[in-house]
Amino acid sequence: MVLTDRAAFDAHAARVRAEFESYTSDSEWTISVCVSEDSKAKGVLDTFEHLRFRIESGDIEARLRTTGGGGWAWADPSIIVSGPNHPAVLYGNVGSDDVPGLVAALASGHTYDAGLIGAFGESDTLPAVADHPYFKLQTRLLTQNWGMIDPYSIDDYIANDGYAAWIKALFDMTPEEVVDEVKASGVRGRGGAGFPAGIKWESGRRAQARPKFMACNSHEGEPNVYKDRRLIESDPHRILEGIMLGCYGVGAERGYNYVGGEHLLAVERFRHAVNEAYRLGLLGDNILGSGVNCHIRLLTGGGAYICGEGSALMYSVMGERGQPRTKPPRSVEEGLWRRPTVLNNTETLAPVPDIIRNGGAWYASLGTERSTGTKLVSMQGPLARLGVVEVEMGVSLKDILYETYGGMAEGKTLKGVQTGGVSAGPLLPDQLDVAVDFDSLQQYDCMLGSGGFVVFDDSVDAVEFGRYLMDFNRWESCSKCTPCRLGNKALVEVVDRILNGRGQERDMQLIESTAKHVMELSLCGLGQVAPAPLIGMMRCFPEDFEARIDAASEPIEAGEQQRFVIPLAAVGA
Amino acid sequence: MTRGMAHKSTVEQADLDRLQAHLEEHFQPRDHEEAQELILGALQHVQHEFGWVPLEASQAIADHLGVSVNRIYGLLTFYADFRTEPPGEHFMLLCHGAACFVGGSQKLIHELRDNYGIGQGGTTADGKLTVQIVNGCLGVCDLAPIVQFDHEKYVGNLDVDSFNAAIEEITANGSQREDHGAD
């Protein structure tokens, strides 16, 4: 069915809204199984099959549907159940073994206490999800549909105000007004740089060359972030609508989304979303009779971290090796096919539908003055609870760690928190009372980056961790600039020397000076920060380095060079 | 393209004919710019079907999209996901993201080196297992350290013993793969 005008869209929206509301009505049982890449790894499909078997066997009369993941990885496999006298309830850790007990409890009108996390709606008897420590600090804006809607259903999205912003923009707003709202929202680039998106859009809008392009960076190749792929997996249409609004705002008729090739489910769901939007007539030529054209192309990466850098990403889209180039010209002047291209991170585009619907001022009221809105945080390591969480900018990192993530797992002692992905150093335990926003972390030479934090305990040696982070950047160097290509390799070798009991006092100095060369002489953002995590580890945990160096055996004898050849380097580990 | 050409180490004309038909149906650029945008996708399709990118397939893509095969090899050697040699019977992605590192994935990599004699991209001598160390993150961090076999089966919370057991279990069975990851 192709919608041909605004009235047809409104009628369709009313229809699917009624359908969606029936999922939480009290006339029928509905069981929603949250399927994401990580819940699949934890066997959610087994849970689904067991539920289906029970329903088909007549043990309970219920509708079974799948939704996207909720971000609560610690609770996966998870399901959301609603039914007669039973508000929507989140159950966690529902393995296939739990299914018989769960079904029996529901069929007899009870809750299944083993996995009960809380109720989403009002309830006199059940605890509220919002009171659970995992949810308490969260402001779920970008994640509002996670776990609630079926990512394969455009109708589920429309039923939750989806594409209302697209309709509003097409019929009630000029492109300039769209750009102005994004400017007013103050939303800053979530990829790490923190550049205001509205300013970028305005530059793109003003650029004279035609055609123009809009691009979304969903590459996410860092070793400690998994928020963008969850955004796409759980709510692909939100990202799509964000790109479409960007196209309209800057005057582009074509948008691109570049998704990391390893994010299989995200690629599959986004591709499906684009096809559905075309099918419904929300993408294409003369959309809903408005005269606006908009087309979306999906491209997938090939496992090169550097392609998350703006110019490298564009070369990759154009079928080239992803090697950054010098700037200027910036990509808003000359990007894809040497045309003005506005490139935003997935998370930057995600709130745009809400910004257009509710106004930029509303969004700016969230978060802090200089860092507006919410931020997705993915914290990893030996913690009590893991997952992606969404907090208002400005919430204390310590509170997130100890409340939302439940603190360290049993028996683990916190040693530090690596920040900024692979582009900055760690925080020490006594530095954690710092606000999560773009500016506060800088006082400790750390950065927010894309919101990935790695918590590590005292079983992790800072020298080895520093080597790991250093080696990641060495491996991912695109090899264009000599300082980055050779300097990072040399740094890994120096650390290996220390690790192999051959370190010397002067090695610390050697690392500092080599790092300075790499950072000052490299062209792109990768090289300019590549040694930063290692330097950060040296700054925060000098004792780990010194202990290795002090324990080192006698100076190297001639003819012993062979012992420096580290097989690990050969395997790229 | 129909299934069934999985993990072949040589390329047959029938495979190339099917590839050609697929290219003509699904990779129809409207201009040379779009043709270039389609190169990586076409290569990913080939790897998805063959498990690797044979020279003959690269040549077919080059001819179809009007670019040189040299350029295609430039891409294959730049992007870490591509393989230009046939993989073993089973395929393992070993996550080496930060969470897995903190959980001990480095020990698993050492084990691969010491016990199986393989590193990044390597295939065991018996041809049973190919490993790709993921420098990014599989995003399943609460099961760290984790591996993924044959693009579907995850085994997590690994230590060296359970890692070896998982490899033994997967390599004991013949390959049941139908495809090869990203398309």
Side-chain angles (χ1 to χ4, degrees):
Chain A
M1 176 188 54
V2 180
L3 304 175
T4 48
D5 55 26
R6 185 179 189 170
F9 177 86
D10 289 341
H12 182 75
R15 197 163 53 243
V16 297
R17 194 167 289 129
E19 165 79 15
F20 188 83
E21 275 161 13
S22 77
Y23 293 146
T24 50
S25 78
D26 53 8
S27 59
E28 206 178 345
W29 286 101
T30 302
I31 303 178
S32 307
V33 181
C34 305
V35 181
S36 63
E37 191 67 46
D38 55 349
S39 70
K40 276 168 82 179
K42 293 177 84 173
V44 74
L45 296 181
D46 287 344
T47 302
F48 181 83
E49 286 306 322
H50 276 71
L51 280 165
R52 185 159 78 181
F53 174 74
R54 290 284 161 184
I55 290 168
E56 282 173 2
S57 313
D59 292 356
I60 186 171
E61 209 164 291
R63 270 187 302 198
L64 187 62
R65 62 195 277 269
T66 54
T67 59
W72 42 75
W74 57 278
D76 282 328
S78 59
I79 62 173
I80 296 169
V81 180
S82 62
N85 305 317
H86 193 289
V89 169
L90 174 63
Y91 291 100
N93 294 309
V94 184
S96 48
D97 296 348
D98 291 297
V99 170
L102 174 91
V103 168
L106 295 179
S108 61
H110 296 96
T111 50
Y112 179 64
D113 293 334
L116 182 78
I117 293 173
F120 286 101
E122 292 283 310
S123 170
D124 299 332
T125 49
L126 298 171
V129 159
D131 291 335
H132 190 280
Y134 172 74
F135 289 95
K136 218 167 189 174
L137 278 177
Q138 292 200 56
T139 305
R140 289 175 76 92
L141 169 67
L142 310 183
T143 54
Q144 58 186 294
N145 289 335
W146 287 23
M148 306 296 161
I149 68 169
D150 180 357
Y152 292 100
S153 165
I154 192 170
D155 290 345
D156 273 15
Y157 181 65
I158 291 173
N160 287 277
D161 295 331
Y163 293 110
W166 180 231
I167 302 300
K168 183 178 176 186
L170 285 182
F171 294 102
D172 300 337
M173 294 171 82
T174 63
E176 287 80 6
E177 285 170 340
V178 169
V179 173
D180 285 345
E181 288 301 337
V182 175
K183 254 177 88 178
S185 75
V187 60
R188 291 168 66 179
R190 293 326 198 222
F195 188 79
I199 307 279
K200 216 185 222 181
W201 284 29
E202 192 169 51
S203 316
R205 173 95 211 135
R206 283 191 185 146
Q208 292 301 313
R210 298 281 189 288
K212 301 175 188 177
F213 302 117
M214 182 77 200
C216 172
N217 181 352
S218 308
H219 183 260
E220 196 170 56
E222 284 168 301
N224 50 7
V225 185
Y226 51 98
K227 60 173 181 70
D228 292 345
R229 73 192 80 170
R230 296 281 174 269
L231 270 171
I232 297 178
E233 277 174 18
S234 299
D235 201 0
H237 286 284
R238 167 176 294 273
I239 309 305
L240 178 57
E241 192 180 2
I243 302 173
M244 288 155 67
L245 288 164
C247 285
Y248 181 72
V250 304
E253 292 198 350
R254 194 192 302 155
Y256 291 84
N257 193 6
Y258 185 89
V259 186
E262 62 268 42
H263 314 327
L264 295 180
L265 200 59
V267 171
E268 177 188 316
R269 288 179 177 177
F270 192 79
R271 184 177 288 149
H272 188 270
V274 171
N275 290 340
E276 282 214 298
Y278 271 110
R279 184 179 57 79
L280 215 53
L282 297 175
L283 278 174
D285 291 331
N286 189 19
I287 296 162
L288 303 178
S290 65
V292 174
N293 305 337
C294 185
H295 294 271
I296 299 291
R297 289 182 186 173
L298 168 68
L299 288 106
T300 53
Y305 168 64
I306 187 63
C307 291
E309 198 271 351
S311 60
L313 183 147
M314 294 188 193
Y315 282 120
S316 183
V317 169
M318 295 188 285
E320 305 271 2
R321 292 162 75 103
Q323 293 180 309
R325 62 162 169 80
T326 44
K327 282 151 243 163
R330 316 283 319 173
S331 57
V332 288
E333 296 151 5
E334 271 188 30
L336 284 167
W337 306 114
R338 308 197 72 173
R339 303 292 178 190
T341 306
V342 174
L343 175 70
N344 288 125
N345 182 262
T346 318
E347 195 189 337
T348 317
L349 292 171
V352 171
D354 289 273
I355 290 170
I356 299 303
R357 262 201 341 268
N358 302 331
W362 160 81
Y363 185 83
S365 70
L366 297 167
T368 66
E369 196 184 336
R370 286 180 43 78
S371 302
T372 58
T374 58
K375 181 81 195 79
L376 295 180
V377 172
S378 57
M379 210 177 265
Q380 316 172 320
L383 292 159
R385 278 189 290 271
L386 284 170
V388 181
V389 307
E390 183 178 8
V391 292
E392 266 190 64
M393 286 279 194
V395 173
S396 155
L397 185 65
K398 191 176 185 178
D399 293 343
I400 297 174
L401 200 166
Y402 285 102
E403 286 188 35
T404 314
Y405 285 95
M408 299 299 283
E410 215 179 314
K412 302 282 186 180
T413 313
L414 178 68
K415 179 168 177 172
V417 180
Q418 168 65 13
T419 68
V422 289
S423 311
L427 285 170
L428 290 167
D430 59 3
Q431 297 170 334
L432 292 182
D433 203 4
V434 60
V436 170
D437 61 31
F438 284 108
D439 310 306
S440 301
L441 283 156
Q442 283 169 4
Q443 60 183 302
Y444 300 116
D445 287 332
C446 294
M447 62 189 256
L448 177 62
S450 40
F453 297 93
V454 183
V455 173
F456 52 101
D457 66 334
D458 49 14
S459 73
V460 175
D461 177 61
V463 188
E464 288 188 12
F465 200 15
R467 184 208 187 271
Y468 164 81
L469 295 163
M470 190 64 242
D471 189 52
F472 176 89
N473 284 330
R474 179 209 61 146
W475 187 251
E476 296 295 348
S477 167
C478 82
S479 304
K480 183 169 180 169
C481 312
T482 312
C484 181
R485 180 178 69 240
L486 299 182
N488 286 324
K489 192 159 184 271
L491 284 168
V492 173
E493 285 169 0
V494 177
V495 182
D496 275 340
R497 182 156 74 209
I498 297 173
L499 277 171
N500 283 276
R502 294 281 167 161
Q504 297 163 53
E505 283 297 332
R506 62 165 197 249
D507 282 344
M508 301 290 273
Q509 191 55 46
L510 183 60
I511 290 175
E512 298 268 2
S513 60
T514 310
K516 188 164 178 284
H517 283 146
V518 174
M519 294 164 100
E520 286 177 0
L521 299 174
S522 294
L523 170 68
C524 80
L526 189 149
Q528 285 164 8
V529 297
L534 176 64
I535 299 294
M537 287 292 164
M538 281 168 53
R539 186 186 64 236
C540 290
F541 306 103
E543 63 280 4
D544 284 20
F545 285 80
E546 281 155 15
R548 295 259 185 185
I549 290 170
D550 291 346
S553 48
E554 313 79 57
I556 313 109
E557 291 162 30
E560 258 199 311
Q561 301 296 336
Q562 280 302 316
R563 298 177 61 169
F564 287 94
V565 178
I566 311 301
L568 265 183
V571 302
Chain B
M1 232 165 156
T2 52
R3 303 296 186 197
M5 58 180 67
H7 62 83
K8 277 185 187 170
S9 53
T10 54
V11 188
E12 289 165 16
Q13 191 55 43
D15 297 337
L16 291 174
D17 291 344
R18 273 198 292 271
L19 171 62
Q20 192 63 38
H22 184 89
L23 288 175
E24 273 158 26
E25 191 184 341
H26 296 285
F27 290 81
Q28 273 311 335
R30 279 153 284 196
D31 51 41
H32 187 53
E33 287 182 356
E34 192 177 2
Q36 295 174 76
E37 289 178 9
L38 292 176
I39 304 173
L40 277 171
L43 292 171
Q44 278 158 348
H45 169 76
V46 168
Q47 176 146 314
H48 179 72
E49 295 292 331
F50 290 67
W52 61 299
V53 185
L55 178 61
E56 295 88 338
S58 300
Q59 186 67 57
I61 290 170
D63 294 344
H64 180 73
L65 295 176
V67 297
S68 73
V69 76
N70 304 37
R71 173 162 172 191
I72 294 208
Y73 255 57
L75 299 177
L76 293 178
T77 49
F78 183 84
Y79 293 97
D81 285 353
F82 291 115
R83 285 180 297 280
T84 49
E85 283 172 4
E89 228 171 271
H90 294 277
F91 189 74
M92 176 172 74
L93 284 175
L94 192 158
C95 184
H96 198 37
C100 286
F101 172 83
V102 170
S105 61
Q106 191 86 41
K107 293 195 190 84
L108 309 183
I109 291 172
H110 288 184
E111 180 69 8
L112 281 177
R113 181 193 65 195
D114 299 340
N115 208 357
Y116 300 84
I118 53 173
Q120 170 66 302
T123 302
T124 50
D126 60 6
K128 290 249 186 207
L129 183 72
T130 295
V131 63
Q132 184 177 339
I133 297 166
V134 180
N135 226 358
C137 171
L138 289 178
V140 194
C141 306
D142 53 335
L143 297 181
I146 190 162
V147 297
Q148 185 205 55
F149 288 108
D150 297 338
H151 306 288
E152 51 176 21
K153 183 180 187 241
Y154 287 95
V155 186
N157 293 322
L158 291 168
D159 57 23
V160 171
D161 290 339
S162 55
F163 179 60
N164 283 324
I167 291 177
E168 194 167 317
E169 193 191 327
I170 202 86
T171 52
N173 300 315
S175 175
Q176 292 167 359
R177 256 181 317 168
E178 292 196 327
D179 54 36
H180 303 268
D183 189 356

